[in-house]
Amino acid sequence: MSDEPSSNYGPPPAGCYVSPFSALFPSTFPPETDPNIVACFQLADQDGSGFIDDKELRTALTTYNESFSLRTIHLLMYLFTNSDTRKIGPREFSSLFYSLQSFRAIFEKSDRDSSGKIDANGMSEALLSQGIAVPPTVMELLVTKFDTTRGPLIFFVVVFATSILQI
């Protein structure tokens, strides 16, 4: 997969209104946000604008041992902002970060041998634990699409596939 940005991930979900002016004003962190998440965001916000861009988000997540392609970063940003501006504010960053922690916990529960990888059955179980029942034919399509080595699926594929299926 290329790290080149794609043009768009589609419109916001039906019934979801996003003000065109919301991209001009940074959000704030929700109350009780972990100070480490606040510090991570502030460190990533190189220009002090109150937003971080795609490359800054990628760097911030890498500091917490979460490595993603820019394509996946763009998808995650879109899912948490409902916009393709490629900037994310504190509230969205916090939601994204907590979601990734949740995904990691789900992954670790499915990684029975602690190898850092799960197979298609483990991925099916991980998705099912989130209320997403994936038919075997769709799971095979995901494996074919994302698992180029034909071996076990790695963590970011679980996050990416789950994000796609929740749209």
Side-chain angles (χ1 to χ4, degrees):
M1 284 189 213
S2 169
D3 277 348
E4 293 300 316
S6 64
S7 60
N8 196 342
Y9 290 104
C16 202
Y17 173 75
V18 178
S19 168
F21 302 107
S22 63
L24 301 175
F25 303 105
S27 59
T28 59
F29 283 102
E32 308 298 322
T33 300
D34 183 332
N36 292 324
I37 294 174
V38 175
C40 182
F41 181 88
Q42 291 170 338
L43 186 63
D45 183 14
Q46 296 292 305
D47 62 2
S49 66
F51 292 103
I52 57 176
D53 65 22
D54 52 354
K55 291 168 189 66
E56 291 170 329
L57 177 59
R58 185 178 187 189
T59 299
L61 295 177
T62 300
T63 64
Y64 280 90
N65 295 324
E66 305 293 350
S67 182
F68 299 102
S69 71
L70 276 177
R71 182 176 180 193
T72 303
I73 291 290
H74 294 158
L75 175 64
L76 291 171
M77 291 179 92
Y78 178 79
L79 290 172
F80 284 87
T81 64
N82 287 326
S83 110
D84 61 357
T85 60
R86 305 249 167 98
K87 291 197 179 275
I88 193 166
R91 180 175 307 277
E92 299 80 18
F93 178 78
S94 179
S95 294
L96 171 65
F97 199 92
Y98 285 128
S99 292
L100 289 176
Q101 284 182 334
S102 175
F103 282 128
R104 170 141 328 260
I106 293 164
F107 169 80
E108 288 174 354
K109 184 177 176 185
S110 300
D111 180 18
R112 290 190 180 92
D113 63 358
S114 300
S115 66
K117 300 177 181 181
I118 59 174
D119 59 14
N121 289 335
M123 184 173 174
S124 291
E125 290 173 16
L127 294 172
L128 190 57
S129 76
Q130 293 302 294
I132 302 170
V134 181
T137 54
V138 174
M139 185 54 63
E140 183 59 36
L141 178 65
L142 289 171
V143 170
T144 302
K145 175 73 176 168
F146 296 111
D147 185 14
T148 59
T149 64
R150 304 295 295 165
L153 300 171
I154 57 175
F155 174 63
F156 83 89
V157 176
V158 174
V159 173
F160 191 74
T162 304
S163 298
I164 289 170
L165 293 170
Q166 288 182 346
I167 291 180

